[in-house]
Amino acid sequence: MPNIYELSQEVYQLEKFEQIVSGNNIQIERIISTGQTTPLGQWYDQELDEWVILLQGESELSYADDTRIRLKAGDYLLIPAHTKHRVEYTSIDPACIWLAVHGNFHLS
């Protein structure tokens, strides 16, 4: 049985994206980050909403409006579709373990 916290040595070289569940309008993935950030000048601009929780580690995200959000283990947020954002920082020790859910969510 897979374990969400299990890490291999190779994750310390490249960021790792693992699809856990995929359906018609939903995708759940585990992301392991060890110091990786979004390349300068690039932004994520996703077609679907993204709900993400940081299970382990620390990170910082920024938005096109210069807003920054610092995350620690247990913090989660919803990034609406087409909200330009970047990853500015991810901790190495401990590695960042993210759980990301992509879909069309009803925002209230």
Side-chain angles (χ1 to χ4, degrees):
M1 169 176 284
N3 184 302
I4 200 82
Y5 292 104
E6 189 174 303
L7 301 176
S8 65
Q9 282 304 110
E10 66 194 33
V11 301
Y12 290 94
Q13 297 162 357
L14 297 172
E15 193 167 36
K16 188 170 185 180
F17 295 82
E18 297 174 341
Q19 190 168 319
I20 297 173
V21 175
S22 182
N24 285 339
N25 289 314
I26 193 165
Q27 178 182 337
I28 301 173
E29 65 182 347
R30 179 177 87 146
I31 306 166
I32 309 296
S33 305
T34 52
Q36 293 85 4
T37 60
T38 308
L40 289 176
Q42 293 185 16
W43 295 91
Y44 288 106
D45 185 0
Q46 300 165 167
E47 295 292 321
L48 298 173
D49 301 320
E50 179 181 10
W51 181 86
V52 64
I53 184 168
L54 186 61
L55 299 174
Q56 176 179 289
E58 295 181 356
S59 67
E60 185 173 355
L61 303 179
S62 67
Y63 295 94
D65 68 358
D66 292 327
T67 302
R68 287 185 176 246
I69 297 176
R70 188 92 172 161
L71 300 169
K72 63 183 182 324
D75 291 342
Y76 62 89
L77 60 104
L78 180 66
I79 304 170
H82 298 293
T83 300
K84 290 185 178 181
H85 62 286
R86 303 171 32 83
V87 178
E88 300 289 349
Y89 166 78
T90 60
S91 60
I92 297 171
D93 187 17
C96 286
I97 300 177
W98 309 80
L99 188 65
V101 181
H102 302 269
N104 293 313
F105 306 123
H106 297 285
L107 307 176
S108 53

